[in-house]
């Protein structure tokens, strides 16, 4: 159970725009690199990237890049080499699902990218992510609005970005088709909320 997501879901009752993305793409292959071009007419100063794993750039439960996405993945890695690229998963690297770090080590070895070890799952691990980028040797990050979060879930990845005061890119369709009714409902939520004039919070405004 993701206690962090459950607790933070109550924030949506007060601020439903927390689950709205700043940009939406169909699959990882549609990612515009560099990411400063992802947000329409707004030129964001993106210096670092948080990358979700399952159904973002990898088949769920697999610790390798989905082969059709390899070129795009390498392009992202070229533009944002470590320490400016970090994988944050709610499976690999979490103390509850990956207590010994086996999956995190396997994923990092396969991708060449560090995997955050965290006890609090998304969307509640923002402070750990920000601390990583602010203190990593060679990092050029000085504020949360220089970070973009890429992922396929609104209530974890997108909400994480908005709670951090960062930019979010929602991968709407992912690697595999979902049969989860909650995920199917979740994917329809942004359109419904935007009908009421709601927009994603301005990066930096939630700090």
């Amino acid at each position: 159970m993701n206690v962090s997501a459950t607790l933070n879901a109550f924030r949506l009752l007060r601020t439903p725009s927390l689950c709205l993305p700043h940009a939406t793409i169909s699959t990882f292959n549609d990612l515009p690199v560099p990411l400063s071009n992802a947000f329409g007419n707004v030129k964001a100063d993106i210096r670092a990237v948080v990358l979700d794993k399952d159904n973002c750039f990898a088949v769920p439960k697999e610790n390798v890049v989905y082969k059709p996405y390899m070129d795009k993945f390498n392009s992202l890695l070229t533009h944002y080499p470590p320490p400016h690229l970090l994988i944050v998963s709610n499976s690999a690297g979490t103390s509850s699902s990956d207590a010994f770090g086996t999956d995190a080590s396997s994923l990092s070895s396969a991708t060449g990218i560090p995997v955050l070890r965290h006890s609090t799952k998304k969307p509640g691990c923002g402070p750990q992510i920000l601390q990583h980028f602010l203190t990593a040797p060679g990092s050029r990050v000085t504020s949360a609005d220089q970070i973009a979060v890429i992922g396929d879930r609104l209530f974890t990845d997108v909400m994480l970005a908005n709670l951090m005061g960062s930019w979010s890119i929602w991968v709407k369709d992912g690697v595999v088709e979902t049969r989860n009714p909650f995920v199917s409902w979740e994917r329809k939520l942004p359109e419904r909320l935007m009908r009421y004039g709601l927009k994603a919070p301005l990066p930096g405004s939630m700090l």
Side-chain angles (χ1 to χ4, degrees):
M1 179 181 179
N2 187 347
V3 177
S4 174
T6 301
L7 294 176
N8 278 289
F10 288 103
R11 295 192 181 196
L12 293 175
L13 298 176
R14 183 181 63 191
T15 314
S17 59
L18 283 173
C19 70
L20 290 178
H22 298 99
T24 301
I25 57 177
S26 177
T27 71
F28 189 79
N29 261 350
D30 299 305
L31 193 65
V33 180
L35 299 184
S36 56
N37 300 323
F39 308 103
N41 295 327
V42 178
K43 281 290 183 179
D45 180 19
I46 303 300
R47 302 184 185 184
V49 179
V50 172
L51 197 55
D52 178 42
K53 177 180 78 76
D54 291 333
N55 219 27
C56 180
F57 69 83
V59 173
K61 299 183 180 180
E62 294 188 6
N63 289 329
V64 294
V65 179
Y66 183 51
K67 188 172 291 186
Y69 295 169
M70 187 60 73
D71 287 345
K72 182 65 70 172
F73 191 90
N74 287 334
S75 176
L76 187 68
L77 183 57
T78 298
H79 280 82
Y80 303 96
H84 299 105
L85 190 55
L86 179 69
I87 295 174
V88 181
S89 169
N90 271 354
S91 53
T94 63
S95 57
S96 58
S97 302
D98 186 23
F100 298 103
T102 304
D103 286 336
S105 296
S106 173
L107 180 59
S108 184
S109 178
T111 61
I113 300 171
V115 178
L116 184 72
R117 299 295 304 275
H118 52 115
S119 56
T120 302
K121 290 187 174 184
K122 296 179 289 185
C125 57
Q128 288 178 267
I129 294 171
L130 191 56
Q131 179 71 9
H132 169 85
F133 285 125
L134 290 176
T135 60
S139 174
R140 298 187 300 111
V141 174
T142 59
S143 62
D145 59 359
Q146 296 166 343
I147 301 170
V149 179
I150 305 169
D152 72 306
R153 298 299 305 274
L154 296 173
F155 290 174
T156 54
D157 304 306
V158 170
M159 192 170 179
L160 165 69
N162 286 327
L163 288 173
M164 286 175 59
S166 301
W167 296 89
S168 60
I169 300 177
W170 179 37
V171 182
K172 183 178 180 181
D173 299 314
V175 182
V176 297
E177 185 177 352
T178 182
R179 295 183 180 179
N180 185 323
F182 178 79
V183 175
S184 298
W185 172 84
E186 183 186 53
R187 288 177 176 175
K188 298 175 183 177
L189 191 57
E191 182 179 353
R192 293 171 178 172
L193 292 177
M194 288 188 288
R195 288 176 185 170
Y196 292 94
L198 296 179
K199 298 180 180 179
L202 184 68
S205 63
M206 297 306 295
L207 290 175

